[in-house]
Amino acid sequence: GGSGGDEALAAGTRVAHEGSDGVRRLGVVAQVHADAGGGPPYYTVALEGAEGSLSERSTERGRLSSLSAGWPPFAEVVRAILGRVALTRLDHAAGGVWEVPLLDPGSAEAEGGEGPPPLPTQATGEALRYALDCLRAEAVALLPGEPPETAVGSRLAGMLRASG
């Protein structure tokens, strides 16, 4: 899990911020400020809002907990996967079918020009497991007292409501 505590955070650290209303939101430390009187640093944090918007807030260390290192934002991972895999047919009886788009050998994509190369079919499962791990890291940071499965369900429900 992430960590809360007294250690200073560096700019760029992914965090969960707990507001005075008790609501936790994900964000990134945008700036670290030193107190002229030699006190503890304070932080400007860019917090995630509705539909990918960001808002900045100044806060002290006690309201921040760092996310586990190495997990990129879930939404960015999903965007990357969907940018490389086309859902060309959804057969509900078969549980849905993901197909890698076939590239014309002479196209710019096939030549490495425009956009990323398609995700190999055999890598789709691993890519989705990685996305789920990223989601789990965010969910646990937002709901630290909940079992991971409950936290993931709550995070997904909140994301679906926000995308409404």
Side-chain angles (χ1 to χ4, degrees):
S3 61
D6 297 329
E7 75 279 359
L9 298 172
T13 302
R14 292 192 66 219
V15 294
H17 171 269
E18 185 168 352
S20 56
D21 58 1
V23 173
R24 294 172 67 90
R25 292 173 53 199
L26 295 175
V28 175
V29 174
Q31 291 182 311
V32 181
H33 308 277
D35 189 334
Y42 61 98
Y43 303 88
T44 300
V45 181
L47 297 174
E48 295 178 8
E51 298 179 18
S53 65
L54 293 176
S55 62
E56 286 196 349
R57 171 162 298 143
S58 291
T59 189
E60 68 275 359
R61 178 66 179 93
R63 293 201 175 273
L64 301 174
S65 58
S66 61
L67 270 69
S68 298
W71 297 109
F74 171 68
E76 290 179 19
V77 171
V78 170
R79 267 192 295 278
I81 292 169
L82 292 178
R84 297 181 65 188
V85 176
L87 183 62
T88 57
R89 178 172 49 105
L90 184 60
D91 179 354
H92 292 287
V97 178
W98 287 89
E99 291 183 354
V100 174
L102 296 175
L103 298 178
D104 177 357
S107 71
E109 285 117 354
E111 298 297 324
E114 296 290 322
L119 187 67
T121 303
Q122 63 271 25
T124 304
E126 187 61 31
L128 294 175
R129 280 189 290 280
Y130 180 68
L132 181 58
D133 288 343
C134 293
L135 173 64
R136 187 176 294 111
E138 290 181 1
V140 168
L142 289 171
L143 298 165
E146 297 290 329
E149 297 78 16
T150 304
V152 166
S154 296
R155 175 76 173 141
L156 278 174
M159 292 173 82
L160 290 172
R161 278 193 304 274
S163 68

